[in-house]
Amino acid sequence: MTTPPRADLPAQEQADLLRQMIRIRRFEEKVAQLFKRGQLPGFVHLYLGEEAVAVGVCSALRPDDRITSTHRGHGHLLAKGATVDRMMAELFGRVDGYCRGKGGSMHIVSFALGIMGTNGIVGGGIPIGTGSAWGDQHLGRDTVTVVFFGDGAANQGVFFESMNLAAIWKLPVIFVCENNGYTEWTATEKLTAGKIADRGQPFGIPGVQVDGNNVGDVRRAVERAIERARGGDGPSLIEAKTYRWHGHNEGEEAFAGAYRPEEEQQHWRQREPIAAYARELIASGVLDQAGWDAIDSEETRAIDDAVAFGKASPFPDAEEALLHLFADSTVGHPTVRRTPVRDTPDGDQR
Amino acid sequence: MTTPPRADLPAQEQADLLRQMIRIRRFEEKVAQLFKRGQLPGFVHLYLGEEAVAVGVCSALRPDDRITSTHRGHGHLLAKGATVDRMMAELFGRVDGYCRGKGGSMHIVSFALGIMGTNGIVGGGIPIGTGSAWGDQHLGRDTVTVVFFGDGAANQGVFFESMNLAAIWKLPVIFVCENNGYTEWTATEKLTAGKIADRGQPFGIPGVQVDGNNVGDVRRAVERAIERARGGDGPSLIEAKTYRWHGHNEGEEAFAGAYRPEEEQQHWRQREPIAAYARELIASGVLDQAGWDAIDSEETRAIDDAVAFGKASPFPDAEEALLHLFADSTVGHPTVRRTPVRDTPDGDQR
Amino acid sequence: MTQTQPARSIYFIKAMQEGLRAAMAEDDTVVVIGEDVDRSIIGATRGLIGEFGDQRVRNTPISEATFVGACVGASAVGLRPVVDLMVGSFFYVAMDQLADQAAKLRYMSGGQVDLPIVYFTATGPSGSGAAQHSENPHPMLMNVAGLKIVMPSTPYDAKGLMLSAVRDPNPVVYLQDFVLGGTKGEVPEHAYTVPIGVADIKRRGTDVTLVAIGALVPRALKIAAKLEKDGISVEVIDPRTLVPLDLDTIVESVTRTGRLVVCDNARLTCSAASEIVAAVVESAFSVLKAPPQRVAWENFPVPFSPVLEKRVLVSDDDIRAAVVKTMTG
Amino acid sequence: MTQTQPARSIYFIKAMQEGLRAAMAEDDTVVVIGEDVDRSIIGATRGLIGEFGDQRVRNTPISEATFVGACVGASAVGLRPVVDLMVGSFFYVAMDQLADQAAKLRYMSGGQVDLPIVYFTATGPSGSGAAQHSENPHPMLMNVAGLKIVMPSTPYDAKGLMLSAVRDPNPVVYLQDFVLGGTKGEVPEHAYTVPIGVADIKRRGTDVTLVAIGALVPRALKIAAKLEKDGISVEVIDPRTLVPLDLDTIVESVTRTGRLVVCDNARLTCSAASEIVAAVVESAFSVLKAPPQRVAWENFPVPFSPVLEKRVLVSDDDIRAAVVKTMTG
Ligand SMILES: Cc1ncc(C[n+]2csc(CCOP(=O)(O)OP(=O)(O)O)c2C)c(N)n1
Ligand SMILES: Cc1ncc(C[n+]2csc(CCOP(=O)(O)OP(=O)(O)O)c2C)c(N)n1
Ligand SMILES: [Mg+2]
Ligand SMILES: [Mg+2]
């Protein structure tokens, strides 16, 4: 790695960055396994290989800061404080999941944790995060919102509209583009003109490209952006170059074929974000091998417990399907079988 | 004016630029009058003061080149070859109008003239013009498409999406932004971050800002863009700074109030595009005062004839409302009163 | 409906504004955004900037998808945004943020969050507005679960439903049928609400139940008055709210009259008229004495020329003929 | 329906592709665009790039509004674009370009231009796809005048309707119900068309007319077979085309059976089921022996968890119960 680890941070915090990246890694590996075994409903898009982006970004945020996430969101959510057990329960569609099983992989949110949205619509979260930044600014809070999106989402019109709005209203929003080199199965440069980091320039939004596999670099860039946002100077754009190890979605082998050169994949495996960082921590004496191993086994165990928790959690009652649409009871709202629609207190987690 | 007239062009062509600007001026003045008298149905948005942009651009195009226009489109269409009589007939909702009365001011098109669309949706024409450029390129033609849009439309996502697509596919499209300083009743800079001409940079699209009240400057910029497009080098962006003399829409006085400083309006009235250009032609001997007067009175008379033509043209038969939806007869297509829906040959102008 | 004095006759648009002003006065988290909401071409927000300042009445760029979606994030963190979309057709530009985000986020989250947002707009035919400025989007939006939809027909309801909409903890689409803006009616000065989800019987009758929506309500009432003279007693119901639809009130009426005509100020196919007829037939088939009739627009875009526009839209004759048909056919 | 030999049993998706390949082979102006159409996650376009090259099979950026709109300009100048939207919900992102531009330009122009475009997509529930990947957009799109809409239920119809759609001079929305992609059926090798606007009676019956749409057709046929044993003879009609709707075939059937059930694989409110029931009631009220029944989704987004999803979507029991109800109630 080019840059030194974050020696400026307390040792505990430096180690915690490692722990969080390992947590995401083990979580996603487990999800891949469960999916292969046919134990997970729906689609999953894994974050393996991109861990340093989520952790570098979210570790710089305060608990009251916010994020919006994408279809590839597990890493963002874990880094923002979601627990592996409730995450796993949601992936299983169980009542102890963050959304009581209504959301699933692409829609896990926890407003209590500042997770404002995960999205099945590419680019869909960009206006939402821009809006939470507007709301916080209007209400006099100094919280910031980070909007995560991919290189593919950088070609959705709402990205530019939101940058323009954020620029003229000086909104405390940070646009973090995870450029993993591919939009599904097509290389980014075939679809995307120019450098994504430059796309804020016309709006006067500073943009930087960082090594997304270097947690320290990511963290540093985000810290600068946060300072700017809290200081009232408005939005920033960060393009984090990274690479996903797995397919666009689990199970793509069925049709996608070999769309990524072997050498390319090897190259990025070598630039793997976790081990390199761990070795730096050891080199700088923050951690020893035993400490690293301990973290890994703790997190690995936690994931196994999470799976047990998720499988033990009951499915929601079928009638819960008719809850949570509206916040109040919906007088006369017709349902096919005329089932009364009302909200339960326990449905409301707020 | 700063730049000399287009001495490089044949005298006849130089004079024709003047004639076209005068035609638009007189046409719009007449429309304003008719609207005040309550003789025109619907909304009208006038082009008064912006004539040099449409004429500078369209005079550089070949008949087989194409444009997409906006809600403020009369000038573009006249400059692209639409005749004042059929334009006027359309504004009156008559059968001799370009759209047989179906379109009206915001939807006049003539595919025969390369007018691919006028739009009631701000930014709506941008993808359409990008698409005609793609079609022509794919079919091996060397025609280009000019996409007209306003400063307000420059904040619609499709503008950026279309620039990206045009850049990666090297499409022969020229994005011409008419920056008249206002988006309805709000000053452009309050809504629009940075310089619109710069918005193509991240995509590698060259952008220039030109004096939209100088027909020669506009023409020159477009000629460069056309050369680039026909040469296969892809899109260009031109921001033409201009000013509209009338309200956003006729009749705005009812609610808009004084939203534009008197001095500002004076300033632009002095930078009026037509007289200045005419004086240059006289100075350079292309034209004398009598020639100028002759053009003006010819065009003025033509407008009066157009009004007569429009008023003399019959309204379409009411049943024509049920034509032209689909190109073929629509078997079983239900209409409320079960009126058979079919297409008439005369409906098809192609 | 009981009105508290003093009431005076004001314009529909003014009534909307009074409802909005009351909501802004009682709760500073209520903010109004949209294109040119300071001057407001239609008028519902005109002048509010003077009272509430440019942070609570804020002009947006022409970026509908983004500001419609921004309200989702803003409302989730504590604002109560009220958005002026200006024209009903402009909803299409923001459809994903409306139908996939605003409408679904609460449900997808398992009820974690309230999203108090009002999306209002002038909408529907205004006289040669042509195809892209004349549509009513409510048939499309009714199919989207998660949006309440109100469409008042009187200044009284316009004010009361606006206050209810802003106070509602859910995304509410508030549709102001264009031509109603300039109509007048009795409106109390004080703040009051009209409940969302409750239809209003605007005229009592015994022979035919005539359900009319938006701008068609005042026309239906005129037609009902005329038909009275021909000896046909027409009950006119204004749903006022399209989601949730107060079907019970309509069915109860049909149970009394045995006849149903539904007029919708929208294209026929998959319209509110289709929905109401189908729902009534399901639950009150046995009481029907005649085939229920739908009166709506021809399945065409709205053309520009007045003669063509008239042919596509609903005429008074269409409504009258449909009522008579249920009596004779 | 007459099939010309030789036919063999192939997958629905393969049949779509055969229709598309035939269209591309007969006309060089047919081009296919969309996100990753070279590899094609669903499969309809997979492999075509090898035969027709990367200019006729072209991957687009994730800019739905722009490439949906670009097809309007491209078709106006002579291309016949076929667009893969991938998932039905993604239409929302491009709704303005679809509903305001593609659908209206020909009409607004007074018939000056033909716009031969096919917008196809996999759509509808696929098993825990959750709220943003499970919807069927046809109820919304049916209200938009200017789009033809087809939704085949068999591989045979899938191939024939694809060729008809590409040859059609108008914008056609082609909806492939997700779960049908992997179903098999007899399909001739040669190119043939299935006409747009013509319903197909998939099973003859005398007691009840059961109209089913998309993925519900094969299920309706199974249920009809079972009911036969209980002595209920069910006629199953697949509209195949939703716009223009072949109402005559449905009405003719109801005239014989006197009973109607319409199952739609979409949310109930303003669904195709509502439209068909309302239209039939208007024109065949007198022949109805029982209240027509709609079977559609609950008015909720589609939730993720299998148990919840099942509760919202249409079950075989719902369909069976509705049929029985028309016989007994
Ligand atoms: C509006 C929309 N279009 C298309 C899709 C299908 N889709 C899901 S993920 C994806 C690629 C996104 O690429 P990128 O933004 O780079 O994120 P990555 O998957 O690489 O993390 C696409 C096209 C979608 N979900 N939403
Ligand atoms: C999608 C959409 N939003 C809003 C409007 C209403 N509207 C019509 S013109 C206009 C202002 C356009 O400004 P600009 O692009 O600068 O063009 P100009 O009128 O100045 O020529 C607006 C907001 C519209 N027609 N379409
Ligand atoms: Mg990517
Ligand atoms: Mg402008």
Side-chain angles (χ1 to χ4, degrees):
Chain A
M1 293 253 172
T2 53
T3 29
R6 293 298 304 269
D8 56 307
L9 298 175
Q12 180 48 48
E13 229 179 284
Q14 294 185 54
D16 200 52
L17 298 182
L18 177 65
R19 177 180 292 278
Q20 289 186 41
M21 290 195 286
I22 290 172
R23 178 176 303 155
I24 295 169
R25 174 71 52 92
R26 299 298 171 232
F27 183 88
E28 296 290 68
E29 286 168 346
K30 177 62 69 177
V31 170
Q33 201 185 71
L34 293 166
F35 185 89
K36 243 198 196 61
R37 298 205 190 119
Q39 295 181 14
L40 292 179
F43 311 95
V44 285
H45 307 83
L46 300 186
Y47 200 66
L48 290 164
E50 309 187 24
E51 299 87 351
V53 183
V55 172
V57 169
C58 295
S59 65
L61 297 175
R62 296 193 315 226
D64 62 329
D65 289 330
R66 314 178 192 274
I67 66 168
T68 62
S69 176
T70 71
H71 58 283
R72 198 177 302 287
H74 304 164
H76 308 141
L77 311 193
L78 291 171
K80 191 62 172 67
T83 60
V84 290
D85 52 356
R86 293 196 62 195
M87 287 278 295
M88 203 59 90
E90 188 64 32
L91 297 188
F92 280 116
R94 308 303 171 99
V95 76
D96 293 303
Y98 277 103
C99 307
R100 305 182 63 84
K102 278 204 165 74
S105 174
M106 283 195 285
H107 305 294
I108 300 176
V109 292
S110 168
F111 292 88
L113 294 171
I115 298 162
M116 311 294 299
T118 310
N119 226 298
I121 299 299
V122 168
I126 300 175
I128 296 172
T130 302
S132 59
W134 163 46
D136 285 329
Q137 178 196 57
H138 184 96
L139 294 167
R141 305 182 188 124
D142 73 338
T143 54
V144 309
T145 300
V146 167
V147 170
F148 286 104
F149 61 103
D151 48 279
N155 293 323
Q156 281 286 29
V158 287
F159 170 42
F160 302 90
E161 293 181 354
S162 293
M163 282 196 291
N164 181 65
L165 190 70
I168 59 172
W169 288 4
K170 287 191 172 304
L171 300 179
V173 56
I174 302 166
F175 300 100
V176 176
C177 179
E178 297 179 305
N179 185 344
N180 57 12
Y182 288 84
T183 297
E184 287 187 344
W185 307 281
T186 304
T188 307
E189 60 272 17
K190 292 204 184 121
L191 306 171
T192 310
K195 212 169 111 198
I196 292 169
D198 295 341
R199 291 186 169 191
Q201 275 174 14
F203 309 99
I205 297 176
V208 359
Q209 206 177 52
V210 300
D211 176 357
N213 282 19
N214 182 321
V215 69
D217 287 3
V218 173
R219 169 89 178 231
R220 228 175 250 98
V222 174
E223 282 167 347
R224 274 191 298 273
I226 290 172
E227 201 182 328
R228 194 178 135 80
R230 290 206 213 284
D233 300 327
S236 304
L237 171 60
I238 297 169
E239 177 186 5
K241 301 276 265 179
T242 182
Y243 198 77
R244 61 168 159 77
W245 287 6
H246 272 225
H248 166 67
N249 59 314
E250 292 307 282
E252 72 170 27
E253 309 73 41
F255 59 88
Y259 60 98
R260 300 191 294 182
E262 246 329 302
E263 321 67 70
E264 180 185 281
Q265 297 188 49
Q266 279 322 313
H267 166 78
W268 282 95
R269 289 262 178 189
Q270 275 141 26
R271 307 203 46 270
E272 192 280 326
I274 296 178
Y277 178 69
R279 280 191 294 275
E280 288 171 354
L281 293 188
I282 289 168
S284 60
V286 172
L287 201 73
D288 59 12
Q289 182 65 43
W292 178 8
D293 298 345
I295 290 174
D296 203 335
S297 49
E298 282 159 32
E299 292 302 325
T300 307
R301 206 173 318 108
I303 302 296
D304 294 334
D305 298 348
V307 172
F309 174 88
K311 287 182 171 172
S313 174
F315 282 106
D317 179 273
E319 290 307 311
E320 261 204 36
L322 307 189
L323 300 180
H324 307 141
L325 183 63
F326 291 120
D328 48 355
S329 74
T330 58
V331 186
H333 184 67
T335 85
V336 179
R337 298 168 205 89
R338 300 274 178 280
T339 322
V341 182
R342 49 184 158 45
D343 230 339
T344 49
D346 70 312
D348 254 290
Q349 298 171 10
R350 221 174 95 189
Chain B
M1 293 248 174
T2 52
T3 28
R6 295 297 305 271
D8 56 309
L9 298 175
Q12 180 50 48
E13 232 180 282
Q14 293 185 55
D16 201 53
L17 299 182
L18 178 64
R19 177 180 292 278
Q20 289 185 40
M21 289 194 287
I22 290 173
R23 177 174 304 152
I24 295 168
R25 173 73 51 91
R26 299 295 172 235
F27 183 88
E28 295 291 68
E29 286 168 345
K30 178 62 70 179
V31 170
Q33 203 183 69
L34 293 165
F35 185 88
K36 241 197 200 60
R37 299 207 190 115
Q39 297 181 9
L40 293 179
F43 310 96
V44 284
H45 307 83
L46 300 187
Y47 200 65
L48 290 164
E50 311 187 23
E51 299 87 351
V53 183
V55 172
V57 170
C58 295
S59 65
L61 297 175
R62 297 193 318 225
D64 62 329
D65 289 330
R66 313 177 193 274
I67 66 167
T68 63
S69 177
T70 71
H71 57 283
R72 198 177 302 288
H74 303 166
H76 308 141
L77 312 192
L78 290 172
K80 191 62 174 68
T83 61
V84 290
D85 52 356
R86 294 195 61 195
M87 287 279 294
M88 203 58 88
E90 187 64 32
L91 297 188
F92 281 116
R94 308 304 172 101
V95 77
D96 292 304
Y98 278 101
C99 307
R100 305 181 63 83
K102 278 205 165 73
S105 174
M106 283 195 286
H107 306 293
I108 301 175
V109 293
S110 168
F111 291 90
L113 294 170
I115 297 163
M116 312 295 297
T118 310
N119 227 296
I121 297 299
V122 168
I126 300 175
I128 296 172
T130 303
S132 59
W134 163 46
D136 285 329
Q137 179 197 56
H138 184 96
L139 294 167
R141 305 183 187 124
D142 72 340
T143 53
V144 308
T145 300
V146 168
V147 170
F148 285 104
F149 61 103
D151 49 280
N155 293 323
Q156 281 285 29
V158 286
F159 170 43
F160 302 91
E161 292 181 355
S162 293
M163 283 197 291
N164 181 66
L165 190 70
I168 59 173
W169 289 2
K170 287 190 172 302
L171 300 179
V173 56
I174 302 166
F175 300 100
V176 176
C177 179
E178 298 178 305
N179 185 345
N180 58 10
Y182 288 84
T183 298
E184 287 188 342
W185 306 280
T186 303
T188 307
E189 61 272 16
K190 293 206 184 117
L191 305 171
T192 310
K195 213 170 108 195
I196 292 168
D198 295 341
R199 291 187 168 191
Q201 277 176 11
F203 309 99
I205 297 176
V208 301
Q209 204 175 54
V210 299
D211 176 357
N213 283 20
N214 182 320
V215 67
D217 287 3
V218 174
R219 168 88 178 233
R220 231 175 248 99
V222 174
E223 283 168 345
R224 275 191 297 274
I226 291 172
E227 201 181 329
R228 195 177 134 78
R230 291 207 213 280
D233 299 327
S236 304
L237 171 61
I238 296 170
E239 177 185 3
K241 300 277 263 179
T242 184
Y243 199 77
R244 62 168 157 77
W245 286 7
H246 274 224
H248 166 67
N249 60 313
E250 292 306 282
E252 72 171 26
E253 311 72 41
F255 60 87
Y259 61 95
R260 299 192 296 181
E262 246 329 302
E263 320 69 70
E264 179 185 280
Q265 297 189 47
Q266 280 321 315
H267 166 78
W268 282 95
R269 290 261 179 189
Q270 275 140 28
R271 308 205 44 273
E272 192 280 325
I274 296 177
Y277 179 67
R279 279 191 294 275
E280 289 170 352
L281 292 188
I282 290 169
S284 60
V286 171
L287 201 74
D288 58 12
Q289 183 63 45
W292 178 10
D293 297 345
I295 290 175
D296 202 334
S297 49
E298 283 160 29
E299 293 303 325
T300 307
R301 206 171 319 105
I303 302 297
D304 294 335
D305 297 348
V307 172
F309 175 88
K311 287 183 172 174
S313 173
F315 281 106
D317 178 278
E319 291 306 311
E320 263 206 33
L322 308 188
L323 300 180
H324 306 142
L325 183 63
F326 291 121
D328 47 356
S329 72
T330 58
V331 186
H333 184 66
T335 83
V336 178
R337 299 169 206 86
R338 300 275 178 280
T339 321
V341 182
R342 44 181 165 46
D343 229 342
T344 49
D346 69 314
D348 252 294
Q349 299 171 8
R350 227 174 99 198
Chain C
M1 180 181 321
T2 65
Q3 295 191 13
T4 328
Q5 289 316 321
R8 68 283 188 244
S9 177
I10 62 171
Y11 285 114
F12 189 107
I13 276 289
K14 184 79 175 11
M16 276 174 74
Q17 175 167 111
E18 285 190 359
L20 184 50
R21 179 183 286 106
M24 294 183 81
E26 74 181 15
D27 181 347
D28 0 319
T29 65
V30 177
V31 296
V32 174
I33 67 167
E35 291 151 22
D36 302 282
V37 285
D38 55 348
R39 294 170 195 279
S40 181
I41 180 164
I42 314 295
T45 62
R46 199 174 304 152
L48 292 176
I49 192 168
E51 272 163 86
F52 300 104
D54 63 6
Q55 290 308 290
R56 292 186 63 191
V57 179
R58 209 163 187 186
N59 290 357
T60 60
I62 310 177
S63 307
E64 283 84 3
T66 282
F67 65 74
V68 162
C71 293
V72 175
S75 62
V77 304
L79 284 188
R80 300 182 87 89
V82 178
V83 184
D84 180 358
L85 266 294
M86 198 182 318
V87 175
S89 296
F90 306 162
F91 273 112
Y92 301 150
V93 180
M95 189 58 84
D96 176 70
Q97 289 295 320
L98 188 71
D100 257 345
Q101 313 297 341
K104 293 183 168 63
L105 183 55
R106 180 177 209 282
Y107 184 80
M108 294 191 299
S109 76
Q112 283 180 54
V113 68
D114 295 350
L115 302 173
I117 311 169
V118 177
Y119 296 108
F120 82 86
T121 190
T123 185
S126 58
S128 292
Q132 291 175 338
H133 281 67
S134 301
E135 301 197 335
N136 267 321
H138 62 267
M140 273 194 183
L141 300 183
M142 286 172 71
N143 180 255
V144 176
L147 300 173
K148 294 186 180 183
I149 305 176
V150 300
M151 198 163 186
S153 72
T154 67
Y156 182 89
D157 292 342
K159 179 174 178 175
L161 279 168
M162 179 58 85
L163 187 53
S164 294
V166 181
R167 285 183 184 171
D168 197 278
N170 304 290
V172 179
V173 171
Y174 182 115
L175 301 173
Q176 174 236 318
D177 220 321
F178 232 123
V179 296
L180 292 177
T183 59
K184 286 186 130 187
E186 289 287 300
V187 175
E189 274 175 21
H190 65 84
Y192 62 91
T193 59
V194 168
I196 291 175
V198 181
D200 187 35
I201 300 178
K202 297 290 188 192
R203 177 194 174 97
R204 289 278 169 186
T206 55
D207 297 330
V208 182
T209 299
L210 176 56
V211 177
I213 294 169
L216 297 184
V217 175
R219 285 168 56 188
L221 287 167
K222 281 205 199 69
I223 291 162
K226 287 219 191 75
L227 287 167
E228 191 78 69
K229 302 199 185 64
D230 313 350
I232 304 178
S233 168
V234 179
E235 178 148 305
V236 177
I237 298 182
D238 175 2
R240 296 194 296 192
T241 299
L242 296 170
V243 176
L245 183 69
D246 179 3
L247 195 61
D248 300 348
T249 296
I250 296 169
V251 168
E252 184 279 327
S253 171
V254 173
T255 314
R256 284 186 280 105
T257 62
R259 299 183 180 85
L260 174 67
V261 174
V262 185
C263 326
D264 196 1
N265 196 20
R267 257 189 298 274
L268 178 70
T269 301
C270 294
S271 62
S274 303
E275 177 60 28
I276 292 169
V277 165
V280 169
V281 165
E282 256 172 2
S283 48
F285 184 75
S286 58
V287 308
L288 288 169
K289 302 172 185 158
Q293 300 295 312
R294 295 174 298 165
V295 184
W297 304 351
E298 294 283 359
N299 286 310
F300 289 83
V302 180
F304 168 74
S305 186
V307 290
L308 300 175
E309 184 182 36
K310 186 162 173 302
R311 176 64 183 86
V312 167
L313 302 181
V314 169
S315 74
D316 288 355
D317 289 344
D318 298 331
I319 301 174
R320 193 178 301 101
V323 172
V324 170
K325 187 165 179 201
T326 60
M327 293 299 293
T328 57
Chain D
M1 182 181 318
T2 67
Q3 294 192 13
T4 329
Q5 290 315 321
R8 68 279 190 249
S9 178
I10 62 171
Y11 285 112
F12 189 106
I13 277 288
K14 182 81 173 10
M16 276 174 74
Q17 176 168 110
E18 285 190 0
L20 184 50
R21 178 184 286 105
M24 293 183 83
E26 75 182 12
D27 183 347
D28 305 339
T29 65
V30 176
V31 296
V32 174
I33 66 166
E35 292 151 22
D36 301 282
V37 285
D38 55 348
R39 294 169 196 277
S40 181
I41 178 163
I42 312 294
T45 61
R46 197 174 306 153
L48 292 176
I49 193 168
E51 275 163 83
F52 301 104
D54 63 7
Q55 291 306 292
R56 292 185 64 191
V57 179
R58 206 159 189 189
N59 291 357
T60 59
I62 310 177
S63 307
E64 284 83 4
T66 282
F67 65 73
V68 163
C71 293
V72 176
S75 61
V77 304
L79 285 189
R80 300 183 87 88
V82 178
V83 184
D84 180 359
L85 267 294
M86 199 180 318
V87 174
S89 296
F90 307 162
F91 273 112
Y92 300 151
V93 180
M95 189 58 84
D96 176 71
Q97 289 295 322
L98 187 71
D100 258 345
Q101 312 298 339
K104 293 182 168 62
L105 183 55
R106 179 177 211 282
Y107 184 81
M108 294 191 298
S109 76
Q112 285 181 50
V113 69
D114 294 351
L115 302 172
I117 312 169
V118 177
Y119 296 108
F120 81 86
T121 189
T123 186
S126 59
S128 292
Q132 291 175 339
H133 280 66
S134 302
E135 300 198 336
N136 266 321
H138 62 268
M140 272 194 185
L141 300 183
M142 285 171 72
N143 181 255
V144 175
L147 301 174
K148 294 187 179 182
I149 305 175
V150 301
M151 199 163 185
S153 71
T154 67
Y156 181 89
D157 292 342
K159 178 173 178 175
L161 280 169
M162 179 58 86
L163 187 53
S164 294
V166 181
R167 285 182 184 172
D168 197 276
N170 305 289
V172 178
V173 171
Y174 182 115
L175 300 173
Q176 174 236 321
D177 220 321
F178 233 122
V179 297
L180 293 176
T183 59
K184 285 185 130 189
E186 289 287 301
V187 175
E189 274 174 20
H190 66 84
Y192 62 91
T193 59
V194 167
I196 291 175
V198 180
D200 187 36
I201 299 176
K202 296 290 187 191
R203 176 194 175 97
R204 289 276 170 187
T206 56
D207 297 330
V208 182
T209 300
L210 176 57
V211 176
I213 294 169
L216 298 185
V217 174
R219 286 168 55 188
L221 288 167
K222 281 205 198 69
I223 292 162
K226 287 218 191 76
L227 286 167
E228 189 80 70
K229 301 198 184 63
D230 313 349
I232 304 177
S233 167
V234 179
E235 177 148 305
V236 178
I237 298 183
D238 174 2
R240 298 193 295 192
T241 299
L242 296 170
V243 176
L245 182 69
D246 181 1
L247 195 60
D248 300 348
T249 298
I250 296 169
V251 168
E252 185 278 328
S253 171
V254 173
T255 313
R256 285 185 280 103
T257 62
R259 298 184 182 84
L260 174 66
V261 174
V262 185
C263 329
D264 196 0
N265 196 20
R267 256 189 299 273
L268 177 71
T269 300
C270 293
S271 62
S274 303
E275 177 60 28
I276 291 169
V277 165
V280 169
V281 166
E282 256 173 1
S283 49
F285 183 77
S286 58
V287 308
L288 288 169
K289 301 172 186 159
Q293 299 295 311
R294 296 175 296 166
V295 184
W297 305 350
E298 294 282 358
N299 286 310
F300 288 82
V302 181
F304 169 73
S305 186
V307 290
L308 301 176
E309 184 182 36
K310 187 164 172 300
R311 175 64 183 84
V312 167
L313 302 181
V314 169
S315 73
D316 289 355
D317 290 345
D318 297 332
I319 300 173
R320 193 177 302 103
V323 172
V324 171
K325 188 167 179 200
T326 60
M327 293 300 291
T328 57

